Structure formats: C-alpha cells, structure tokens
Amino acid sequence: MKPDSRAPGRVGALTTAPDRSPGGVALGALGATLSCSTGLRSFERLRGRLERTNFRGRTVSLRGGIGVAVGAVAAGARVGSCAAGPSAPGSSRVAVAALVATMSAGAAGLVDDMDAGAHDGGAPAKGLAGHLGALARGRVTTGVIKIAVIGSGALVSGVLLARHRSAVGARGPCATAIDAATSAVDVAAWANVLNLLDLRPGRALKAAAALSAPLLADRRPSAEAARILAAGVLGTAVAALPEDLMEDTMLGDTGSNALGALVGAALAAHPGRAVRTAAALAGTALILTSERVSFTRVIARTPALALLDSLGRRPS
C-alpha cells in the first residue's frame, strides 16, 4: 500500500519545512545575500545609481550592502520557530522583533545612501553630535532621519523581546521596562557601531562575525533565538566578505545598519541579562568615543587589530 504523504511525521512532509537550525539559517542568509547582490548586477539602469567612490578612489557598488540588508532580513524572518517551538508563549515576537530591527535599519540606511548627502547642506553633518546639532539649527539631515527610524525600530524590537521573556517567565512591569530599554539600546547602538566601522573593506563584516560567533557556543534552549540570529549574521557576512575585501562592493549605510541591527537583535535576544547589559554599555561607549576618537587611527596603531583589519584585503 502506498504511504500517505500527508501523514504527520513522514519524511516527505518534513522536507517541505524550512530548516530553522542555526546552520540552515546561516545558509539561507548566505543564499539571500548572494542572490540579491548578484541579481542587482544585471540591472543596467541601477548600476550607475549604486556606484560610489571608496577611500582609495576605486569605484564600488552599493549592491553588496543591499544584498547584506536582504540577508539580514531573511535571517530575522526564520527565527520564529526556535527550539522552544512555535507554540511557546510569545515565540513569534522574537521574529517580529528581528524583522522590525533589520528592516527599519536597512530602509533608513538606503535613504541615506541614495541621498548621498544632498540634503545635508554646504557643510555635511558628521557623527551623532553633528546631526543633532543640524537638527537644533532647523535642518533635517538624512542622518537625523536614520536616528529616528532606527531608534523607533529598536524600541519596538526591545519591547517585543522584553515581552517575550516576560511571557516565558513572569516578571514585574519595572523589570520588563528595563529589559525593553536595554534591548532597544542593543539594537540601535550596534546598528550605529557597524556603520561607524564601515570605513575600510571588510572591517564591519569581520566585526559582526567576531561579535556573533561567541553566541553560537551557548547551547541552552533559552539561547536558541540568539544562536539562530548569530548564525544569520555569520552567513550574511561570509557571503558579502569576498567582494567587499576586493573592493568590488561596499556595505554603505544600507548594509552596515541592517547587519548591525541583526547583531544587536542577536545580543538582545540572549537570555543572560549580564550579556544584554554589557552589550548595551559597550555599544553606547563606542558611539560616544567615536565623537572624539578615530577608530581607523586606533586600529592602525594597534598591531593585532591592524593585522586582523587588513587580513584578506586587496593590496594597495
């Protein structure tokens, strides 16, 4: 008798379900990143609009950054059914939180990339202080728009993640509010930090991988969402790294903000309060430090960081 393919537990039924293991999510993010970046290369009308000049005067394409944003969103979309199961209290909130974080960051970055400073006036605003100063003078830069959009997306994500943890283990409103604020800072801060690091080929991608890789070591069921998101970061970074290092593509604000938001979401999804708090403090400290200190100079003066930073990069 022919077996019923509709019967639960049959291999045929299982093969249609998407692989939500960390490895499957990493491969899915890698595929989405490569497909989008490669596909954009075939659109002649977009080629000119996506071309930019990098720090060495080479022409590079923003298609790599758009591909990274798509990969980050794809990774976030697949975190819903984690180890706890889709029926676990609030499990869908994690996926929505990751999607809101990556989509808002990627969209805000794309607006900034496409504007290319056209609305910044004669003296382009730089850094957080520069954009807020421009706003105080009545000038709305695309940087201000980024702060508002990424900040709003981070806040929504933080609230969703805090409510997810409250649903799993009952907590008071004060603890939930603190959790939401910390998680929001995780997302917003690391979206900004990766953007600040995207000044040399491969730098932001290496940093994203280095931040996310340790999260894979936590095998607790409660850390499954963080592990899946971290795997998505790694898959996306691996896909984009070769062309980024060879200076064929660049992340731009679109890719660096979206990937940074995914890194932040992975950190914010971790069950350890100490991990979430440390990530929020570190991200905030780096942003404030960047207002006065050049990361590029610090890296150049630190032999170990300089070696890692230049690893795999196209020769001068």
Side-chain angles (χ1 to χ4, degrees), residues 17-255:
D19 185 356
R20 289 186 175 90
S21 67
V25 171
L27 288 174
L30 186 150
T33 303
L34 287 178
S35 297
C36 179
S37 180
T38 304
L40 286 173
R41 186 165 50 190
S42 62
F43 287 90
E44 293 289 340
R45 292 184 179 181
L46 286 176
R47 184 173 296 177
R49 293 198 65 189
L50 296 179
E51 287 181 346
R52 297 292 185 273
T53 302
N54 73 355
F55 75 111
R56 270 206 282 246
R58 287 180 54 85
T59 299
V60 295
S61 176
L62 285 169
R63 63 179 174 81
I66 297 174
V68 163
V70 170
V73 171
R78 297 179 68 179
V79 75
S81 298
C82 53
S87 60
S91 62
S92 62
R93 293 188 184 122
V94 181
V96 176
L99 282 173
V100 170
T102 53
M103 291 178 72
S104 60
L110 184 61
V111 169
D112 202 13
D113 281 335
M114 293 297 100
D115 182 77
H119 290 84
D120 282 1
K126 292 184 178 181
L128 183 63
H131 289 292
L132 292 178
L135 181 63
R137 294 189 295 273
R139 183 155 52 93
V140 179
T141 65
T142 51
V144 170
I145 295 173
K146 275 178 55 177
I147 292 170
V149 173
I150 294 175
S152 299
L155 182 58
V156 171
S157 298
V159 170
L160 288 169
L161 288 168
R163 290 187 64 190
H164 166 66
R165 280 186 281 268
S166 293
V168 174
R171 295 184 304 180
C174 183
T176 301
I178 293 172
D179 186 358
T182 303
S183 298
V185 172
D186 281 335
V187 174
W190 287 103
N192 194 3
V193 170
L194 252 67
N195 188 212
L196 294 171
L197 290 174
D198 187 37
L199 296 177
R200 294 294 184 270
R203 181 180 294 173
L205 292 168
K206 291 174 185 175
L211 284 163
S212 301
L215 297 178
L216 296 175
D218 192 335
R219 306 299 299 176
R220 291 177 296 170
S222 59
E224 183 73 357
R227 197 158 59 244
I228 288 174
L229 291 172
V233 172
L234 291 174
T236 303
V238 166
L241 193 58
E243 284 196 307
D244 200 77
L245 286 171
M246 289 295 103
E247 299 178 41
D248 293 323
T249 62
M250 65 181 289
L251 294 185
D253 291 52
T254 308

